[in-house]
């Protein structure tokens, strides 16, 4: 029914425009080689420049105006409004579209800007911003939200994958620190043609609430109630900033991001491995002595005809890069036909005095399929002055038995006591047949020779002593 009402609203809007040519409707179009963003008074839509929808629209991508359902809201002292923006200004050189409005005494500037994404820098992401300024004489409580009616290709029920959570199909709400880093919307989870990716501002501009829910019940109030047992259906996202006090002359900026996304998929097996970067490379943090962590999401799905067992995903990490909050591997006892598992990894890098380019390898395996084709991502780690050098592992031949070969005179592994044996006293092959007593003599610090000459000397001494004793007895009498 809600889907029908959406279409009825479109027909009504078209009829009203046809009947009243004198009505002025603001329309603007911002585009580059990757995405198209259009506005019409208070509505927005978005397309991939190659053809598919990213946000719902009643009018094809070839039109000059949006007739859509996505829009911003402003809330002032618990009163909600959808601002109307007239005379939008497009700046093609800077890829920005700007409109102005006023709501309950709050000056509103809506800015849409095409920017580079966090993954590879491609200019395929729209930054949606509301700048709210209190130009009245009294303080007001001011908040707002962006309502994004996701539609990918022709799928108005576009399913979501949420970083750190996985695929979701029921209404879901996140608050505060639990808000994920990003989400993706697909025309199909199994065989996506087009992918929409949304990310959320961090720091002071971070939203307070994010909802993944149905288009039809997402409008009022600022934070609509949500029943997490209900299916999403006609999918949409609410990105919400709660009201806070805005003093006279004070400004608040609300920003979120949505655009094209990417997934790398390893083909050729019933166990399909997919991955996507959330952040492209390490950046130096504000303290100048460390890096902001980077995140990536990987998933495995069983696209075969039988259940898989012993399924796992794991990372091969370069020296100086570690996983935080979890181990570098996850295991699943089994994966049913059509089932999918997802893992979001947070990577941290040790400070480096020189710029480094490193690779992170994502692997997947199961008992039945073995190890599949990995996905490899490259990251740049910038230099930090004064950092300790990263000690790389030795690059000896893979067949080397011992990774630490500091001294060439290291005693062979077959030597019984490597700590005490001197190279000049190594046992010979004949000594292997000696008695235990003889072995203990041979292991001394000095080696005196064979036993027979020593016995002869001893007999001679005894004979000499005996002769003297006999002589003295004989001639003393």
């Amino acid at each position: 029914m809600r889907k029908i009402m959406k279409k009825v609203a479109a027909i009504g809007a078209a009829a009203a425009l046809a009947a009243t040519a004198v009505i002025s409707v603001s329309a603007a179009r911002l585009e580059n080689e990757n995405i198209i963003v259009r506005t019409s008074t208070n509505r927005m839509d978005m397309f991939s420049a190659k053809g598919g929808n990213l946000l719902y629209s009643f009018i094809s991508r070839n039109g000059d105006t949006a007739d859509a359902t996505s829009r911003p809201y402003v809330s002032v002292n618990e009163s909600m409004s959808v601002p109307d923006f007239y005379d939008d200004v497009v700046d093609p050189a800077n890829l920005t579209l700007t409109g102005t409005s006023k709501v309950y005494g709050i000056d509103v500037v809506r800015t849409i800007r095409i920017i580079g994404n966090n993954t590879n820098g491609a200019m395929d992401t729209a930054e949606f911003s509301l700048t709210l300024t209190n130009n009245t004489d009294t303080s007001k409580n001011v908040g707002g939200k962006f309502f994004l009616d996701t539609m990918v290709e022709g799928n108005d029920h576009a399913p979501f994958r949420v970083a750190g959570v996985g695929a979701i199909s029921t209404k879901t709400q996140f608050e505060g620190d639990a808000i994920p880093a990003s989400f993706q919307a697909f025309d199909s989870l199994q065989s996506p043609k087009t992918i929409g990716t949304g990310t959320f501002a961090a720091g002071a501009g971070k939203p307070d609430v994010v909802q993944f829910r149905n288009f039809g019940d997402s409008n009022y109030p600022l934070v609509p109630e949500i029943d997490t047992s209900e299916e999403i259906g006609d999918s949409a996202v609410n990105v919400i900033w709660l009201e806070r006090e805005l003093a006279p002359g004070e400004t608040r900026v609300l920003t979120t991001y949505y655009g094209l996304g990417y997934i790398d998929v390893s083909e050729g097996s019933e166990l399909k491995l997919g991955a996507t970067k959330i952040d492209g490379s390490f950046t130096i943090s504000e303290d100048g002595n460390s890096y902001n962590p980077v995140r990536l999401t990987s998933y495995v799905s069983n696209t075969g005809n039988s259940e898989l067992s012993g399924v796992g995903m794991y990372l091969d990490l370069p020296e100086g890069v570690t996983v935080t909050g979890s181990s570098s591997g996850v295991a699943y006892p089994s994966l049913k036909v059509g089932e999918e598992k997802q893992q979001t990894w947070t990577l941290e890098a040790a400070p480096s005095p020189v710029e480094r380019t490193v690779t992170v390898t994502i692997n997947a395996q199961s008992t039945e399929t073995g190890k599949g084709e990995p996905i490899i991502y490259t990251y740049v780690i910038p230099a930090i002055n004064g950092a300790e050098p990263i000690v790389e592992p030795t690059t000896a031949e893979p067949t080397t038995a011992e990774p630490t070969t500091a001294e060439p005179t290291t005693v062979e592994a077959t030597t019984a006591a490597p700590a005490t044996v001197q190279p000049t006293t190594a046992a010979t092959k004949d000594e292997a047949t000696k008695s235990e007593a003889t072995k203990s003599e041979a292991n001394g610090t000095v080696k005196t020779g064979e036993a027979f000459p020593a016995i002869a000397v001893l007999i001679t001494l005894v004979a000499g002593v005996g002769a003297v004793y006999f002589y003295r007895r004989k001639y003393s009498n």
Side-chain angles (χ1 to χ4, degrees):
M1 178 60 69
R2 287 171 181 154
K3 180 68 175 178
I4 294 173
M5 292 304 296
K6 189 186 284 190
K7 291 182 178 179
V8 169
I11 296 170
L17 288 174
T20 355
V22 294
I23 294 178
S24 174
V25 177
S26 174
R29 182 185 181 101
L30 178 67
E31 64 183 309
N32 66 356
E33 67 276 10
N34 299 312
I35 60 173
I36 301 167
V37 184
R38 303 180 307 185
T39 62
S40 178
T41 57
N42 55 28
R43 305 303 174 99
M44 313 175 299
D45 64 16
M46 182 188 294
F47 293 85
S48 163
K50 296 180 180 178
N53 289 72
L54 290 169
L55 293 176
Y56 187 91
S57 181
F58 298 115
I59 299 176
S60 75
R61 61 188 287 271
N62 299 316
D64 293 327
T65 182
D67 190 1
T69 48
S70 298
R71 54 198 177 270
Y73 290 79
V74 175
S75 181
V76 180
N77 294 337
E78 299 185 355
S79 294
M80 286 271 291
S81 178
V82 180
D84 287 330
F85 300 93
Y86 295 101
D87 302 321
D88 284 341
V89 176
V90 177
D91 181 352
N94 294 308
L95 292 175
T96 59
L97 185 160
T98 306
T100 59
S101 187
K102 186 181 286 287
V103 175
Y104 306 120
I106 300 297
D107 289 334
V108 181
V109 178
R110 180 200 60 198
T111 304
I112 302 173
R113 184 164 64 108
I114 297 178
I115 63 172
N117 67 47
N118 288 341
T119 302
N120 56 22
M123 302 291 285
D124 57 11
T125 299
E127 176 188 76
F128 297 99
S129 290
L130 288 178
T131 302
L132 310 175
T133 304
N134 182 3
N135 285 325
T136 70
D137 296 331
T138 59
S139 293
K140 297 180 182 293
N141 295 320
V142 179
K145 69 179 175 183
F146 278 100
F147 167 69
L148 304 177
D149 186 6
T150 49
M151 178 177 183
V152 182
E153 288 287 332
N155 189 357
D156 198 19
H157 291 222
F160 296 114
R161 277 201 191 99
V162 177
V165 178
I168 61 171
S169 58
T170 56
K171 298 176 183 178
T172 306
Q173 175 171 304
F174 299 93
E175 301 177 22
D177 292 338
I179 292 174
S182 65
F183 71 92
Q184 292 181 314
F186 299 79
D187 57 320
S188 164
L189 281 175
Q190 295 299 326
S191 302
K193 296 177 183 177
T194 301
I195 302 169
T197 292
T199 55
F200 306 110
K206 185 176 182 179
D208 299 299
V209 180
V210 170
Q211 296 178 333
F212 297 91
R213 59 182 306 145
N214 185 275
F215 149 81
D217 56 12
S218 299
N219 298 329
Y220 298 92
L222 182 60
V223 184
E225 291 185 5
I226 194 165
D227 184 346
T228 56
S229 67
E230 293 181 354
E231 292 290 319
I232 290 176
D234 189 344
S235 56
V237 182
N238 265 342
V239 188
I240 304 167
W241 292 261
L242 300 177
E243 289 186 2
R244 71 168 177 80
E245 185 177 359
L246 208 60
E250 190 176 2
T251 294
R252 186 180 188 187
V253 180
L254 317 180
T255 303
T256 196
Y257 307 90
Y258 184 67
L260 284 173
Y262 305 90
I263 280 187
D264 296 294
V265 179
S266 176
E267 301 286 355
S269 172
E270 293 83 4
L271 183 68
K272 183 178 288 187
L273 171 66
T276 184
K277 282 183 174 182
I278 300 174
D279 309 288
S281 287
F282 290 93
T283 56
I284 298 176
S285 58
E286 291 184 2
D287 62 16
N289 299 316
S290 59
Y291 305 107
N292 297 310
V294 302
R295 298 149 299 179
L296 65 90
T297 295
S298 62
Y299 69 92
V300 284
S301 59
N302 183 353
T303 59
N305 298 317
S306 59
E307 184 172 322
L308 299 176
S309 62
V311 178
M313 285 188 291
Y314 61 95
L315 304 181
D316 288 334
L317 299 173
E319 196 71 20
V321 176
T322 56
V323 176
T324 60
S326 64
S327 67
S328 59
V330 290
Y332 310 102
S334 64
L335 202 62
K336 297 177 182 178
V337 175
E339 187 178 8
E340 176 185 303
K341 296 292 184 180
Q342 179 174 309
Q343 175 74 12
T344 294
W345 317 83
T346 299
L347 307 180
E348 290 190 347
S352 171
V354 297
E355 182 180 288
R356 304 171 64 212
T357 299
V358 299
T359 58
V360 173
T361 303
I362 309 160
N363 303 280
Q365 64 183 30
S366 73
T367 302
E368 290 77 12
T369 64
K371 183 178 177 181
E373 190 71 21
I375 294 173
I376 301 175
Y377 284 144
T378 299
Y379 293 94
V380 175
I381 303 176
I384 292 180
N385 292 333
E388 293 292 328
I390 301 296
V391 179
E392 298 286 352
T394 57
T395 57
E397 292 297 324
T399 54
T400 302
E402 297 178 353
T404 54
T405 55
E407 294 296 332
T409 55
T410 300
V411 179
E412 295 295 329
T414 53
T415 304
T420 57
V421 177
Q422 300 296 322
T424 56
T425 61
T428 65
K429 188 177 295 185
D430 290 340
E431 288 173 325
T433 60
K434 291 181 181 178
S435 67
E436 290 299 317
T438 308
K439 285 183 182 177
S440 64
E441 288 183 58
N443 282 332
T445 56
V446 178
K447 187 173 182 179
T448 58
E450 300 296 334
F452 177 79
I455 294 173
V457 171
L458 180 61
I459 292 173
T460 302
L461 289 175
V462 171
V465 171
V468 171
Y469 179 78
F470 175 78
Y471 178 85
R472 292 184 63 182
R473 287 286 302 262
K474 179 178 180 179
Y475 291 100
S476 64
N477 294 326

